[in-house]
Amino acid sequence: MRNYLSAAILAILIMIPMVATAKKKTVTIKVIETSDVHGCFFPYDFINRRPLKGSMARVMTYVRQQREQYGKNVILVDNGDILQGQPTCYYCNYVKPEIPNVAAEVINYMGFDAETFGNHDVETGHAVYDKWIREVKCPMLGANIIDTKTGKPYVHPYTMIEREGVRIAIIGMLTPAIPNWLNEELWSGLRFDEMVKCARYWIDYVKANERPDIVIGLFHSGKDGGIVTPDYEEDASLRIAKEVPGFDVILYGHDHTQYKDVVKNTAGQDVVFLDPSCNALMVAEATIEVTKGKRGKIVGKRVTGDIIDVSELPVDEAFVKYFQPSIDSVKNFVDRRIGEFENSIYTRDCYFGSAAFTDFIHDLQLSLTGADISFNAPLSFNTSIKAGPVYVSDMFNLYRYENKLYVVRMTGEEVRKHLEMSYDQWVNTMKSPDDHIMLLNDGSTDDKQRFMFKNLAFNFDSAAGIEYEVDVTKPDGQKVHILRMSNGEPFDEAKWYKVAMNSYRGNGGGELITRGAGISLKELPNRIIFQSDRDQRYYLMQEIEKAGRMNPQAHNNWRFVPEEWAKPAIERDRILLFGR
């Protein structure tokens, strides 16, 4: 009897830790983010008519792999800037707006769980993005995008997802710098609130009302930097990670820069901080392990993050087959021949002086508007249109964005100051003949907007309609010397001029016209005396079709001086940036 009781007691003692262990449960969740996809849905580059690395077709392969391992515990999110980029988007947005938007169809097919707005999504205008919102089946997030009529978020501020009893909150936000870039008609009825304050409000709200186990920030706003005003910062993701306790993971984008880190916030907590860059070449992945004990109480939580390169994965054949009709339609659109160029033009030439590529845009802006002066910057780092047949696809290399055309009233002094800021961001102040002439960064090429430049190259405005020199030995603010108007008339800093530029610049984009020329954002709408009905690409295509055969040439209306320093420095930096 005594032996029987001893055995029974021993069995009970053995079972106690087993019961305690059984009450604990660890759930593993994979969160995968795409950001700044810019229409790279399919493994084909419709602009250059060749196979494309990355694309959502390869992301789909990776997502299927993860779903095979983790099942429904894979959470898939996109961070915006999906409606502009490849001709696929342009075709659905403007050529055939009556068909379902392929950006929505891709999101739905892949089974995304949440989507945020990007600034380039807003740039498409209400007609396009409101239709897109209706077509997307997952929650569209934007806690700081406020409907001015109701005072409430225009879309969902957050969404709740539950996996195996783990409650996950995803709060979405957009950079509030929209008014610095876009005409108000594109975002009429909306305002964009400062992100840090908004994050504090919604983290408190979600914790009080939803009691999440995990909180994720999905922010279309870069790490830091960008436009900074008294009211907001363009890139506030790092500030939120540090200053707003409560987030376990922040998945961000907008700045096209691959980044992963663990940030310590003011409460001493770790925040996984990830940016997958752009064009569906990579994804950001957070692995979340939550251990729950009795009554669902969290007894352990571990979050790690990584950036996964999907650029060389096999394409998902089922994905491609499903979207083949869309692929064929866009190919038919971009493969139409519209004219011929007698010579090749290159964006790389635009950095080193007057260039045929930039001046071709200048010519269009001046001829369409009758303006006195034109501002324009290279919108792609290193692209070209070769001599020979010109196709619709080439128009997306010639002009990258769906900017409209503006004419702005500016004084001669404001014109010069605008150019001074442009060249100060673009050109180094040379101290000796051996210095760089370009203002370069530390040699990193990870930044897909700056490449090796210190600043954003799409803000490197040159001008047409005036003759001028840029003295690379002079300090900032004193480099530009305007000699005369190109028609031979004197240039007068006190005179009013009509200046053609794209809508991004005319609305304050890059701050050249505001911080540089000194025109306030409030004053800018009163200065705009013309805006085109359609985007610049549309008019460029019309001009080429009308002419049939064109021979773009550089105007040679401006140059870097002194030539004995500038010329050899240009050759050195050209090789450094683009090779021999």
Side-chain angles (χ1 to χ4, degrees), residues 260-331:
K260 70 174 181 178
D261 198 4
V262 177
V263 175
K264 189 77 71 176
N265 67 22
T266 53
Q269 301 157 334
D270 288 341
V271 183
V272 171
F273 192 66
L274 303 171
D275 181 344
S277 189
C278 58
N279 298 336
L281 295 165
M282 289 167 278
V283 297
E285 181 177 271
T287 302
I288 302 168
E289 296 176 340
V290 176
T291 302
K292 288 197 168 190
K294 190 176 181 181
R295 296 179 182 174
K297 183 179 179 181
I298 291 181
V299 296
K301 181 166 62 174
R302 181 172 180 265
V303 185
T304 57
D306 205 355
I307 305 297
I308 309 298
D309 186 340
V310 299
S311 62
E312 302 286 355
L313 288 180
V315 301
D316 187 274
E317 296 297 342
F319 178 97
V320 173
K321 183 178 180 181
Y322 182 86
F323 286 104
Q324 194 63 53
S326 297
I327 295 169
D328 294 340
S329 296
V330 179
K331 274 188 177 180

Side-chain angles (χ1 to χ4, degrees), residues 111-125:
F112 275 77
D113 295 285
E115 170 78 53
T116 57
F117 264 90
N119 53 290
H120 284 292
D121 302 325
V122 178
E123 191 172 10
T124 62

Side-chain angles (χ1 to χ4, degrees), residues 47 56 99 121 124 195 235 263 310 343 369 386 407 411 492:
I47 298 174
M56 291 296 230
I99 67 175
D121 302 325
T124 62
M195 289 180 63
D235 297 327
V263 175
V310 299
N343 58 299
T369 64
K386 297 298 177 61
V407 176
T411 66
D492 186 348

Side-chain angles (χ1 to χ4, degrees), residues 30-76:
K30 290 276 187 178
V31 183
I32 300 172
E33 176 210 14
T34 56
S35 187
D36 299 270
V37 170
H38 287 291
C40 294
F41 306 134
F42 311 124
Y44 183 76
D45 183 347
F46 294 94
I47 298 174
N48 298 299
R49 302 192 300 279
R50 64 190 183 198
L52 183 71
K53 287 186 176 182
S55 83
M56 291 296 230
R58 291 186 171 86
V59 173
M60 185 77 251
T61 296
Y62 185 74
V63 170
R64 285 197 199 277
Q65 290 171 355
Q66 297 306 299
R67 283 174 175 162
E68 286 176 7
Q69 185 173 355
Y70 296 98
K72 292 183 179 180
N73 287 6
V74 173
I75 295 173
L76 187 60

Side-chain angles (χ1 to χ4, degrees), residues 347-552:
T347 53
R348 64 172 65 181
D349 295 337
C350 304
Y351 306 112
F352 306 109
S354 179
F357 198 108
T358 310
D359 290 343
F360 187 76
I361 312 295
H362 281 310
D363 286 343
L364 171 85
Q365 295 187 162
L366 292 170
S367 64
L368 279 177
T369 64
D372 305 304
I373 298 168
S374 170
F375 290 151
N376 182 45
L379 301 183
S380 298
F381 174 63
N382 185 22
T383 192
S384 64
I385 300 176
K386 297 298 177 61
V390 176
Y391 300 90
V392 169
S393 58
D394 293 313
M395 296 299 95
F396 294 83
N397 274 328
L398 187 61
Y399 208 87
R400 184 175 176 183
Y401 300 112
E402 278 85 80
N403 300 139
K404 291 187 176 182
L405 179 59
Y406 279 12
V407 176
V408 179
R409 289 180 72 249
M410 300 177 69
T411 66
E413 182 183 16
E414 289 168 344
V415 168
R416 179 183 57 78
K417 287 182 175 178
H418 179 112
L419 289 174
E420 291 281 13
M421 182 174 173
S422 171
Y423 285 97
D424 287 348
Q425 294 185 100
W426 173 357
V427 181
N428 185 36
T429 299
M430 295 181 69
K431 302 298 184 184
S432 79
D434 298 323
D435 280 349
H436 291 292
I437 190 169
M438 300 287 100
L439 190 58
L440 304 175
N441 65 12
D442 59 4
S444 170
T445 58
D446 287 342
D447 190 321
K448 297 299 189 292
Q449 291 183 311
R450 290 175 177 80
F451 299 91
M452 289 179 67
F453 290 107
K454 183 177 180 179
N455 297 301
L456 298 166
F458 55 71
N459 289 327
F460 296 172
D461 271 6
S462 64
I466 54 176
E467 311 284 315
Y468 64 101
E469 295 176 339
V470 181
D471 191 333
V472 295
T473 66
K474 298 293 185 184
D476 287 356
Q478 300 177 35
K479 288 183 169 69
V480 177
H481 180 210
I482 301 176
L483 305 171
R484 67 189 73 83
M485 302 298 293
S486 291
N487 62 9
E489 294 179 1
F491 177 82
D492 186 348
E493 289 213 353
K495 184 177 178 179
W496 287 95
Y497 294 98
K498 296 180 292 182
V499 185
M501 63 190 75
N502 66 32
S503 54
Y504 171 81
R505 189 72 74 236
N507 289 314
E511 300 184 286
L512 298 182
I513 202 168
T514 51
R515 191 156 56 92
I519 305 171
S520 70
L521 270 177
K522 289 182 179 179
E523 188 184 355
L524 261 181
N526 298 324
R527 296 288 197 96
I528 299 167
I529 58 177
F530 168 81
Q531 61 175 299
S532 62
D533 295 325
R534 302 288 294 268
D535 62 277
Q536 289 219 45
R537 190 187 297 125
Y538 171 83
Y539 296 111
L540 285 164
M541 190 157 60
Q542 276 199 327
E543 288 295 302
I544 294 170
E545 285 194 282
K546 185 167 61 177
R549 187 178 179 88
M550 305 192 82
N551 184 21

Side-chain angles (χ1 to χ4, degrees), residues 125-199:
H126 269 291
V128 174
Y129 63 73
D130 285 340
K131 175 175 175 284
W132 170 63
I133 291 168
R134 293 192 299 270
E135 291 174 348
V136 169
K137 292 179 181 178
C138 68
M140 186 70 64
L141 306 182
N144 67 329
I145 306 172
I146 307 302
D147 186 328
T148 55
K149 288 182 180 179
T150 65
K152 297 178 180 179
Y154 190 65
V155 291
H156 300 284
Y158 67 91
T159 188
M160 293 299 302
I161 297 171
E162 188 167 325
R163 297 289 188 268
E164 295 190 53
V166 177
R167 290 176 57 76
I168 302 151
I170 304 176
I171 300 171
M173 286 193 289
L174 167 64
T175 175
I178 302 298
N180 282 76
W181 304 319
L182 305 179
N183 188 296
E184 189 172 352
E185 68 181 19
L186 298 173
W187 46 274
S188 60
L190 304 177
R191 77 167 191 265
F192 306 92
D193 286 353
E194 189 272 329
M195 289 180 63
V196 177
K197 183 178 178 181
C198 184

